[in-house]
Amino acid sequence: ESGESETVLLAFGPLLDEGDLTAVSHKDFLAATLTIFDRDLSSVIFIVADKVNVNKLTADLLGVPLIGCACHPLNLAIKKYLVEFEPILGKINNLMKKLQLIKCSAVLRKATTKRPITRNVTRWSSTFDMVQRYLVIKEHIDSTNGELAPLIPSAAENIKLKNLLKELKNMESVSKKLQKSDVNLWEVRKLFDGLIEKYPSMNEYLSASAKIVKSPEFKKAIVSCMDGKYTSMSESKKSKVEMFRECVQEVPAQTEESFADQLLKKQKMENDMFDTFKWVPPTSNVVERCFSRAKIFQGSHRHNMLPVNFESQMFLFYNIKLWNAGSVGKLV
């Protein structure tokens, strides 16, 4: 009611049949989990997940929209933008690898405490870190070293890298915004539209109608509602958010209302629509963090932990707001 979202962990365990990782198996797992809580699959009104085929098929089997994690298209768009700079980035990466070797590293350590960073091809943020670190340590690199000299960028290339870093900082700011727990679909759309305006090449992945978007009309309808445009939406677009109808119904007009009252009521209704949808998550970051936490829980000395015990620990940790010492005392 307040518009604030709250995450509750319902299950954390292997599929019913670990040898079957199909969409049908995922659907059966969801159904079995919901049964425990006296619910059925009709309680699922949308799915937020990566845009892999099994997730798309699972959404189709459930007959619900799929909201793909916004971090994925952003990563693809930035990687496409960086293709133009690949020659110089490859050069910097090779230089950083050389600087990590024992002799070169020892010389560099005498001049600065900053260590060389190489990139991870699957994460564009590592490219940002690498370029930023190079520009910090470039004055301390031994240009007389025969192995390093061919890899050191020229003055013109350094200017190009400095300009690239400025653009990457813009992209990093958007990426960090997506990591926040309170970011919503409306904000993501505005962020992506801003990136497309500044970097047109990103339109292929960040457009509201991009090919990689599984349920574009559903997301467009939510963004329109959050923009306060529900009353002007077409009937087909309104049908996309039918499951939220109770939250977005129009308030009947009162004949005795003054013009001023009507204006204020309209604004209030638009604000209520914004609050209604802002809890719909545009990313699956909460799940990614859950997996990271699970890795810590398991550790190198707990590989033989039974799945039921592992799930119990995760369940208690993520649902800590639902229990306390008094609850444990009653059970014991």
Side-chain angles (χ1 to χ4, degrees), residues 251-321:
V251 179
Q254 302 295 327
T255 55
E256 66 272 19
E257 285 182 344
S258 68
F259 177 69
D261 289 336
Q262 292 175 19
L263 291 177
L264 292 176
K265 186 178 73 173
K266 180 181 178 181
Q267 184 59 51
K268 182 180 184 303
M269 189 178 69
E270 292 181 351
N271 292 339
D272 289 344
M273 289 176 185
F274 183 94
D275 291 337
T276 299
F277 293 98
K278 71 180 183 181
W279 58 267
V280 179
T283 71
S284 56
N285 291 336
V286 64
V287 179
E288 299 296 335
R289 294 189 182 105
C290 182
F291 289 150
S292 297
R293 176 64 63 174
K295 185 177 180 180
I296 296 174
F297 271 34
Q298 190 174 43
S300 58
H301 301 294
R302 295 183 178 180
H303 287 173
N304 293 326
M305 185 189 301
L306 293 175
V308 64
N309 294 335
F310 182 54
E311 182 181 40
S312 296
Q313 287 191 26
M314 294 293 293
F315 188 88
L316 291 172
F317 177 81
Y318 274 95
N319 299 328
I320 195 169
K321 290 183 179 180

Side-chain angles (χ1 to χ4, degrees), residues 28-76:
D28 292 341
F29 180 80
L30 285 173
T33 300
L34 290 172
T35 301
I36 299 173
F37 300 93
D38 241 354
R39 296 275 188 169
D40 55 34
L41 292 176
S42 64
S43 298
V44 182
I45 57 177
F46 61 85
I47 293 178
V48 181
D50 287 337
K51 302 181 189 72
V52 295
N53 289 334
V54 68
N55 290 335
K56 293 179 180 179
L57 290 174
T58 301
D60 289 340
L61 288 174
L62 293 172
V64 298
L66 171 68
I67 299 177
C69 180
C71 296
H72 181 228
L74 177 62
N75 187 48
L76 293 176

Side-chain angles (χ1 to χ4, degrees), residues 215-233:
S215 308
E217 296 306 317
F218 176 68
K219 294 176 69 174
K220 288 179 183 177
I222 290 181
V223 172
S224 294
C225 287
M226 297 181 77
D227 255 336
K229 299 176 181 177
Y230 178 77
T231 53
S232 61
M233 287 166 52

